Amino acid sequence: MAKKALLIGVSQYEAGLSPLAAAPKDVAAMWRVLQSPELGAFDEVKTLIDPDLEAMQTAIDLLFQSCQKGDLGLLYFSGHGITDDSDRLYLATRRTSKDTFRSTAVSASFIHGIMRDRSYQRQHVLILDCCYSGAFAEGWQSKGVDVKLKPQLEVEGSVVLTSSTSTQKSYEDKEGELSLYTNYIVQGIESGAAESDGDGMISADELHEYAKRHVQSAKPAMKPEIYGFRQGIKIVLSRAKVDTKLEYRRLVERYAENGEISFVGQDILEFQRERWELSDEVAIAIENEVLEPDRKRLKNLERYEKSLERACKKQFPLTEKILGQFKDLQEVLGLRDEDVLAIQERVMSSYIEVQKQHELKIEKQRLIALEQLRQSELRKQQELDLENQRLAELEQQRLRDSEQERLKTEAKLKAEREAEQKRQEQQKLTELEQQRLRDAEQEKLKAEAKLKAEREAEQKRQEQQRLAELEQQRLRDAEQEKLKAEARLKSEREAEQKRQEQQRVAELVQQKLRDAEQEKLKAEAKRQAAREAEQQRQEQQRLAKLEQQRQREAEKKQRLLEVERQNIQSRTDDARSSPSIVEQTIDRIIKPKNLYLIIGVSAIAAIASLVIYMLWQQSESNKRLSIELEAVNSLKTTGKYQECIDRAKRISTNGNDARAQSLLQECQSGLNEIEEKSQLLEAKKFAADNKLQDALRIVAKINTNSSVYADSLKLAEQWSSGLLVNATKKYQEEGKLQEAIALLKVIPKNVATGKATEQLPSKWQAEWKANETALKSANNAIKESRWNDAIAESKKITTPYWQKQTEAIVQKANAALVSVPVSAPEPQAQPTYEPQPQPRYDPQPSVSNNEPPQREPQREPKIILDPVNPGR
């Protein structure tokens, strides 16, 4: 399978598009990792910098045209992406301007058509580090809704990696030399940190997840996406460097949160650093590299918050222009809307409260001024009425003096009219006074109703905010539980599939071994039968020869005896005539010397026959023993150790053969080796199911002389580290001290983790007692209304489990400390508002009684912003 890549970087553009200085550097960095034999190992990597439309289209066409069946083709682009009104994507060239992009830029449909035409049994990878690059894959999928076009648009074995979604911009890393997304793509390959499933290879989905995690740590607003079709997301792009630095980096990533490492994680990292013999300089460099994105994000959040505080101090409320500038600052810093809203609520809440108090005071002063104005007008009206009355009396006096006589008759009527007029006037004044009092009462009631409505609205807003925070926390917890469950199910399915595959392979191997053993035994039986037949034939021939030789010797002896008998007969006949000759002849025959000779020859012949028979029996026994030993050796070679042991024992029982004893020991060792390997495999299965205690108990039974002892010791060290993490979690987060100590006791003492944790149970027990004492003291301080002492005792708690139990205590103490109202500032001509520190309340309910805390009238209120970290 050939691996080919085309890397395109466009940094210079026509009018309307800003230059991108990082594009050529992105291409150089990608070329470095892809062509490296130790990493990407691509057979052909071509680069194209600032091409025009024709050159870019030709290079893309040649890339996919050159890929044969089974080949991998990778297209990388770093530059501007432009979308039209229909959300169709174009990749800009150096001749592209904002107004002519349709005729000077490469369309996504052009690339899609080439890939679709050459998709049969090929692997295609697209990496797009550009603005609005998400529209490529999204547009692709949206066309797939058409049933007729679906078979043509679903390209087999393809995957698309984008630096952001269709409505978001990609960022250049101003502090580095590469674009943010490409920087972490290259870093994940070079460091090997992107590899996550332990197979030593980096696939497209692993690389994307690594880059996405680090990009969103630095720029939360960016949302890189991956779009895979069929098995495209599993395309292998590079090999992974596996070393202790990479393992240390993964541990740092595991225990890092918000730019810091937990104190438990620091202890674990320190232990692993000493174990792996990493220098402090290397470890610090790895930690800084991993924590840098979170620190940058926190630094950007702090920068945004400080800028917002300065703006609020200078002018509040903020104008629309200032708010627009803060929107631009959010985009530049790459902050999410939820992060910005949290900062705005935290910073501006105090200013909003002060502004409300100031407006309320101004409104109260305005009402007082209106009331004073009405009182003044009423007094002026009364004085005017009195003056009119005095003038009328003078006029009446003058008329009485001048026309006393003429008006005597009319005086009574006039006096009555004047009395009636005065009564009406007094009645009118009384009605006006009553109306004024009613208006004042209504104004007072309206003011009280307005204040009450504002207080209720504020309480309702705070309650809604608290409920929203609780709901968000619940959703986050549910999401985490869902992700954990999915990850656990996925790991269980993968472990089950792997176990079934291993079992199937083992059964196939055993079946093949059994078949080969049967064939070998059949052939051996045939050869044994042939050898036995040949031996029997040769033995029969030898016995036949011996029988023929014996018959010949018997015939020879018979002939000799016949000749001797004839001689004796002839001599007897002669002796009849001469007794002296007969006697001589008889004396010669029966001489002891000749008799002994005959007896000796017969005895020697019998002994020779017996020796020959015994030698034949010994030869047959040796042959049978050799056959049995060969069969035992064959069983040992094929791995049938139990049968080998049984036959070797029978040979040893029948005789004291040294070779049989040796084969018996070898077969016994082989059987023990298989059993220990089976034990190790069973321990691995327990470890895969997260049953680390059972796995450690099994490997503890493996003999130190076994060939798998070294592997079992390494696995025991690894599982002991995992068990230590589980025990630490149970103790610190779940508060299960005895269960945690029981887990520590399972750790073997012959591994480094076991030696390092010998003193840990006593340390945890002492720490547990100290936390119990501190919690009891804090509860007593709460009961005695010693709020600062309660907070001080709560700070002595050292583990998360006990800290959760002090949250309600700290909440109640802080609520009591901030319950003393702070006087509002006097209004000025042009007031400026200084933020007042607001307490952060924990939404968890208090565990103590519900009685309101008693105020301390002589104590200055102490504001604590964070119940857990008061210094923050």
Side-chain angles (χ1 to χ4, degrees):
M1 180 190 74
K3 299 169 68 177
K4 302 179 181 181
L6 174 61
L7 312 178
I8 303 175
V10 184
S11 60
Q12 303 297 327
Y13 301 92
E14 298 293 335
L17 295 177
S18 60
L20 298 175
K25 300 174 183 178
D26 292 343
V27 170
M30 289 294 294
W31 179 88
R32 183 176 69 252
V33 296
L34 293 181
Q35 63 85 34
S36 172
E38 294 80 12
L39 300 175
F42 272 66
D43 302 295
E44 179 182 310
V45 182
K46 294 183 179 180
T47 61
L48 197 61
I49 305 299
D50 293 339
D52 56 16
L53 176 63
E54 182 179 359
M56 189 166 168
Q57 287 182 336
T58 302
I60 295 172
D61 193 3
L62 291 176
L63 168 66
F64 293 110
Q65 186 176 358
S66 63
C67 292
Q68 302 300 320
K69 181 179 178 180
D71 290 351
L72 169 61
L74 185 146
L75 175 60
Y76 170 83
F77 177 79
S78 176
H80 277 299
I82 306 175
T83 55
D84 59 13
D85 295 337
S86 299
D87 290 336
R88 290 187 292 265
L89 178 68
Y90 295 82
L91 304 183
T93 67
R94 65 183 177 89
R95 297 297 184 189
T96 301
S97 64
K98 189 175 182 181
D99 298 328
T100 62
F101 65 90
R102 291 183 178 86
S103 59
T104 59
V106 178
S107 65
S109 60
F110 170 78
I111 303 174
H112 179 235
I114 293 175
M115 291 175 57
R116 182 184 57 194
D117 294 340
R118 299 178 176 89
S119 64
Y120 179 68
Q121 292 190 0
R122 295 172 177 82
Q123 301 180 79
H124 298 153
V125 179
L126 271 68
I127 302 177
L128 305 179
D129 191 356
C130 59
C131 302
Y132 309 110
S133 59
F136 184 90
E138 291 177 1
W140 197 346
Q141 287 183 320
S142 65
K143 296 178 183 178
V145 177
D146 192 343
V147 177
K148 296 181 180 180
L149 297 178
K150 185 175 181 180
Q152 303 178 29
L153 295 177
E154 285 191 350
V155 178
E156 179 72 24
S158 65
V159 62
V160 180
L161 281 69
T162 65
S163 60
S164 67
T165 61
S166 60
T167 58
Q168 296 170 333
K169 294 183 179 179
S170 298
Y171 292 87
E172 291 185 89
D173 191 352
K174 300 303 182 183
E175 299 180 3
E177 295 184 351
L178 305 179
S179 298
L180 191 61
Y181 185 69
T182 299
N183 178 51
Y184 288 112
I185 288 286
V186 173
Q187 184 185 103
I189 295 176
E190 282 187 331
S191 65
E195 196 276 328
S196 59
D197 57 6
D199 61 354
M201 309 299 288
I202 299 176
S203 59
D205 58 337
E206 290 177 329
L207 184 60
H208 175 77
E209 287 302 321
Y210 175 83
K212 178 181 179 181
R213 182 169 66 253
H214 287 78
V215 164
Q216 290 190 327
S217 294
K219 300 290 184 180
M222 289 183 64
K223 296 181 179 179
E225 297 290 343
I226 182 171
Y227 305 93
F229 303 92
R230 302 286 175 88
Q231 296 300 319
I233 61 174
K234 294 299 183 182
I235 293 176
V236 175
L237 300 181
S238 173
R239 287 189 286 267
K241 291 182 179 179
V242 180
D243 54 12
T244 55
K245 295 181 181 178
L246 175 58
E247 295 298 327
Y248 188 79
R249 175 190 293 273
R250 288 177 176 169
L251 284 179
V252 174
E253 291 177 352
R254 179 178 180 180
Y255 299 112
E257 184 177 3
N258 292 329
E260 298 293 339
I261 301 175
S262 65
F263 67 91
V264 181
Q266 290 175 358
D267 293 339
I268 295 174
L269 290 175
E270 182 178 357
F271 171 75
Q272 295 294 352
R273 187 163 62 242
E274 294 175 356
R275 175 188 170 196
W276 291 333
E277 297 181 355
L278 286 177
S279 64
D280 293 340
E281 293 78 7
V282 173
I284 292 173
I286 293 174
E287 292 175 3
N288 290 335
E289 186 177 347
V290 173
L291 298 176
E292 185 62 23
D294 286 337
R295 290 173 176 173
K296 284 185 179 180
R297 179 176 62 83
L298 295 175
K299 184 177 179 181
N300 290 338
L301 291 172
E302 184 179 359
R303 181 180 298 175
Y304 185 91
E305 185 172 355
K306 288 182 178 179
S307 178
L308 183 62
E309 288 178 351
R310 289 196 301 269
C312 290
K313 286 180 181 179
K314 185 176 181 180
Q315 180 182 0
F316 191 85
L318 301 178
T319 62
E320 292 295 331
K321 180 178 180 181
I322 298 297
L323 292 176
Q325 293 176 358
F326 274 104
K327 192 69 176 178
D328 296 338
L329 179 60
Q330 174 188 351
E331 184 176 354
V332 170
L333 297 179
L335 302 178
R336 297 176 298 182
D337 292 340
E338 51 266 29
D339 296 333
V340 170
L341 289 176
I343 294 174
Q344 290 178 350
E345 183 177 356
R346 182 169 62 254
V347 174
M348 299 173 66
S349 59
S350 59
Y351 293 95
I352 293 173
E353 184 66 26
V354 172
Q355 184 184 14
K356 287 182 178 180
Q357 293 179 359
H358 180 67
E359 291 177 352
L360 183 61
K361 189 171 184 179
I362 292 175
E363 181 66 20
K364 185 177 181 181
Q365 291 177 351
R366 188 180 66 82
L367 292 175
I368 293 173
L370 289 175
E371 181 65 23
Q372 291 176 353
L373 181 61
R374 283 195 296 272
Q375 293 288 344
S376 177
E377 290 178 353
L378 183 59
R379 285 194 299 272
K380 288 181 179 180
Q381 183 66 32
Q382 290 176 351
E383 291 176 355
L384 181 61
D385 291 341
L386 292 173
E387 183 66 20
N388 291 333
Q389 184 178 1
R390 188 178 64 81
L391 292 174
E393 289 176 352
L394 290 174
E395 180 67 19
Q396 290 173 4
Q397 183 65 33
R398 186 183 64 81
L399 290 174
R400 282 194 299 273
D401 292 340
S402 60
E403 298 180 1
Q404 186 175 7
E405 292 298 332
R406 186 178 60 83
L407 295 176
K408 285 182 180 179
T409 57
E410 297 178 358
K412 185 176 180 180
L413 294 175
K414 185 173 173 111
E416 291 177 355
R417 286 196 300 271
E418 289 176 354
E420 180 64 21
Q421 184 179 3
K422 186 175 181 180
R423 185 186 65 78
Q424 291 177 355
E425 186 67 23
Q426 289 179 351
Q427 184 178 359
K428 182 178 179 181
L429 291 176
T430 303
E431 291 177 354
L432 288 175
E433 180 65 19
Q434 292 176 352
Q435 183 65 31
R436 184 189 65 77
L437 292 175
R438 285 194 298 271
D439 292 342
E441 184 66 22
Q442 289 178 357
E443 290 294 332
K444 183 178 180 181
L445 292 175
K446 287 181 180 179
E448 291 178 352
K450 184 176 181 182
L451 290 175
K452 182 178 180 181
E454 289 178 353
R455 285 195 297 270
E456 291 177 352
E458 180 63 21
Q459 292 176 355
K460 185 177 181 181
R461 185 189 65 79
Q462 291 179 355
E463 182 66 20
Q464 290 176 349
Q465 180 180 357
R466 187 179 69 83
L467 293 176
E469 290 175 354
L470 290 174
E471 181 65 19
Q472 290 177 358
Q473 182 64 33
R474 186 187 66 79
L475 292 175
R476 286 195 295 270
D477 294 341
E479 184 66 21
Q480 289 178 356
E481 291 296 328
K482 182 180 178 182
L483 292 176
K484 289 180 180 178
E486 292 177 353
R488 185 168 59 254
L489 290 175
K490 182 179 179 182
S491 61
E492 290 176 356
R493 287 196 297 271
E494 291 177 351
E496 180 63 21
Q497 292 175 357
K498 187 175 181 181
R499 185 189 64 78
Q500 293 177 356
E501 183 65 20
Q502 290 176 349
Q503 183 178 358
R504 187 176 65 83
V505 172
E507 291 175 354
L508 290 176
V509 171
Q510 291 178 359
Q511 183 63 36
K512 289 183 178 179
L513 290 175
R514 286 194 296 270
D515 295 341
E517 179 63 21
Q518 290 178 358
E519 293 295 332
K520 186 174 182 181
L521 289 176
K522 290 179 181 179
E524 184 65 28
K526 290 181 180 179
R527 289 195 296 271
Q528 181 67 21
R531 284 196 298 270
E532 291 178 354
E534 180 64 23
Q535 290 174 357
Q536 187 176 3
R537 186 182 62 78
Q538 292 176 357
E539 183 64 25
Q540 290 175 355
Q541 291 177 353
R542 189 179 63 79
L543 292 176
K545 289 179 181 180
L546 290 174
E547 182 65 24
Q548 292 175 0
Q549 185 178 358
R550 187 183 63 77
Q551 290 177 359
R552 285 194 296 269
E553 290 177 352
E555 291 175 355
K556 186 176 179 181
K557 290 179 181 179
Q558 185 68 27
R559 287 195 299 270
L560 289 174
L561 291 174
E562 184 64 28
V563 171
E564 187 66 28
R565 188 183 63 78
Q566 292 176 358
N567 290 335
I568 293 172
Q569 184 66 34
S570 62
R571 291 190 184 105
T572 303
D573 294 340
D574 293 339
R576 290 176 182 174
S577 60
S578 180
S580 59
I581 295 173
V582 173
E583 292 175 358
Q584 291 175 2
T585 303
I586 292 172
D587 292 337
R588 183 171 59 83
I589 292 174
I590 64 175
K591 272 185 178 181
K593 182 178 181 181
N594 293 334
L595 182 60
Y596 293 152
L597 178 61
I598 293 170
I599 296 172
V601 170
S602 300
I604 290 171
I607 292 171
S609 299
L610 181 60
V611 169
I612 291 171
Y613 179 75
M614 292 177 65
L615 291 174
W616 177 77
Q617 289 287 347
Q618 183 65 30
S619 176
E620 290 297 319
S621 177
N622 290 336
K623 288 179 181 179
R624 287 193 297 271
L625 180 61
S626 298
I627 293 171
E628 287 291 330
L629 291 175
E630 287 295 332
V632 172
N633 191 36
S634 176
L635 291 172
K636 185 196 74 162
T637 306
T638 56
K640 297 182 178 181
Y641 295 110
Q642 190 59 51
E643 298 180 17
C644 173
I645 291 171
D646 295 338
R647 296 192 71 168
K649 284 182 178 180
R650 287 198 297 269
I651 296 173
S652 300
T653 304
N654 297 331
N656 190 17
D657 187 82
R659 188 179 176 193
Q661 293 290 339
S662 177
L663 287 173
L664 178 62
Q665 294 177 359
E666 293 177 1
C667 292
Q668 188 66 46
S669 300
L671 182 61
N672 294 337
E673 190 76 15
I674 289 177
E675 291 178 352
E676 289 169 348
K677 288 182 179 178
S678 176
Q679 289 177 353
L680 186 60
L681 182 60
E682 184 180 3
K684 289 182 180 179
K685 291 180 180 179
F686 278 122
D689 296 336
N690 202 22
K691 298 179 180 179
L692 301 180
Q693 304 96 305
D694 298 332
L696 288 172
R697 291 190 183 98
I698 291 175
V699 297
K701 301 177 182 178
I702 295 177
N703 193 357
T704 57
N705 298 326
S706 175
S707 61
V708 298
Y709 178 71
D711 295 337
S712 66
L713 198 60
K714 293 180 181 178
L715 291 174
E717 175 63 30
Q718 178 183 350
W719 296 338
S720 297
S721 299
L723 198 61
L724 175 59
V725 173
N726 293 340
T728 305
K729 182 178 180 181
K730 280 186 176 294
Y731 164 63
Q732 294 186 346
E733 298 181 8
E734 301 177 10
K736 299 178 180 179
L737 176 61
Q738 298 303 324
E739 293 184 14
I741 293 176
L743 291 179
L744 292 180
K745 291 180 179 179
V746 180
I747 298 176
K749 302 303 180 183
N750 58 341
V751 298
T753 304
K755 297 176 182 178
T757 57
E758 288 181 351
Q759 304 299 326
L760 202 56
S762 58
K763 177 183 176 182
W764 284 357
Q765 289 175 346
E767 192 177 54
W768 184 278
K769 291 181 180 178
N771 289 335
E772 281 184 335
T773 303
L775 180 61
K776 184 176 180 180
S777 300
N779 279 323
N780 291 335
I782 284 291
K783 292 178 180 179
E784 297 172 2
S785 300
R786 293 184 287 108
W787 315 118
N788 288 326
D789 293 341
I791 294 174
E793 291 295 328
S794 299
K795 291 180 181 178
K796 297 179 181 179
I797 303 299
T798 58
T799 58
Y801 169 76
W802 291 98
Q803 287 173 351
K804 288 181 181 179
Q805 300 190 40
T806 62
E807 289 178 354
I809 296 175
V810 174
Q811 176 189 1
K812 185 172 183 178
N814 286 334
L817 290 174
V818 300
S819 60
V820 179
V822 182
S823 60
E826 291 295 329
Q828 302 294 332
Q830 293 181 352
T832 59
Y833 303 100
E834 294 293 333
Q836 298 296 325
Q838 296 295 316
R840 182 181 297 172
Y841 296 105
D842 193 331
Q844 299 296 329
S846 174
V847 298
S848 60
N849 54 29
N850 295 322
E851 293 297 328
Q854 299 296 327
R855 294 185 179 179
E856 299 181 8
Q858 301 299 329
R859 181 177 294 176
E860 187 70 14
K862 181 178 180 181
I863 309 300
I864 298 179
L865 297 180
D866 195 330
V868 179
N869 298 313
R872 182 181 297 177

